[in-house]
Amino acid sequence: MRVLVVGAGVTGLTCAVVAAERGHQVDVLARDLPQETTSAIAAACWHPPLVHPADRVLEWSRRTYEVMAALPGSSGVRRRRSTELVADPASRPWWADAVPSLHTLAEVPEGFGAGWAFDGLVAHMPTYLDYLVRRLAENGGTLTRMALPALPRGADVVVNASGLGSRLLAADPTTVPIRGHVVRLAPVPGVDDVLLADGPSGLTYVVPRGEDVVVGGTSELDVWDLAPRDADTAAILARAGALVPQLQGAPVLGVRVGLRPARPSVRVEREERDGASPVVHCYGHGGAGVTLSWGCAREVVDLAESAG
């Protein structure tokens, strides 16, 4: 088949790689090239989102973990011990079965009700996106910058992985941004583990990637502002420094803001179109595009190969 993939973030590229490696002719069309997408800004630690449909999200997350854990070091993916802290008491997270090992913490910092540690994964996204592009090219796929006013027609199937662009391209007003603000710090000796904390002071994450430490964050629904705010940066650094004191005073390498594409539920489904190529939609992943990427991509290509 000839497959046109719309979107060059981590979701679109992963769908393209899976399709190309199954022997299809794949061309990716995107307004923004990979390093210009929201995916390039992401801290990108593996962590299933609490979004719907939960059963499919769990399976997509499990499949993605299996694939990414087996990738070579040149991909930019590294194993990292990860800790999650939550405000409410709980014995295990709902996604515990998706990781090979997880244990509940006996003690948690003041203000948190429970926590657990697990073998996690982190992707240095600039490196990882380049890796996906190379893997696509090695299998005959192409990547072209192209701003599309509508989903294309001239292919056996079109994969819509346009993220927020689906508001227009899929006529889906339920797709809205979640504004995320992150700060990149210089590497800090001794800070090697991922920390995810959702407590009384807000969402905080610390993601060491080797070349830097990404700290965040914000989660503002339906906010389109891409300009960094000094107040957000200061609040993020204060929360992260309180949980991981070694970060206090670390040099700031940069500040970035991205718009995560959110939806009431992740959309992965095939749509038949009269007089045009069928479309397989894959969008609405919020901040979990990396975590769901390989699981969703496999389902997307299965749907692309199915009869309408």
Side-chain angles (χ1 to χ4, degrees), residues 175-222:
T175 303
V176 296
I178 298 178
R179 182 182 181 273
H181 183 122
V182 299
V183 183
R184 291 179 56 241
L185 302 178
V188 177
V191 178
D192 300 313
D193 298 344
V194 172
L195 175 64
L196 308 167
D198 193 359
S201 298
L203 174 68
T204 305
Y205 47 89
V206 177
V207 184
R209 305 191 303 184
E211 298 83 353
D212 56 18
V213 180
V214 177
V215 297
T218 62
S219 185
E220 300 173 84
L221 183 65
D222 205 12

Side-chain angles (χ1 to χ4, degrees), residues 86-108:
V86 296
D88 296 328
S91 57
R92 281 166 63 85
W94 65 273
W95 46 263
D97 291 341
V99 292
S101 64
L102 179 145
H103 69 270
T104 301
L105 301 178
E107 297 182 1
V108 296

Side-chain angles (χ1 to χ4, degrees), residues 104 114 144 158 253 262 300:
T104 301
T144 303
V158 173
L253 301 179
V300 163

Side-chain angles (χ1 to χ4, degrees), residues 26-54:
V26 181
D27 301 297
V28 178
L29 309 176
R31 184 195 67 181
D32 300 323
L33 296 180
Q35 299 296 344
E36 302 164 354
T37 64
T38 298
S39 295
I41 301 171
C45 58
W46 182 95
H47 187 267
L50 189 57
V51 296
H52 300 288

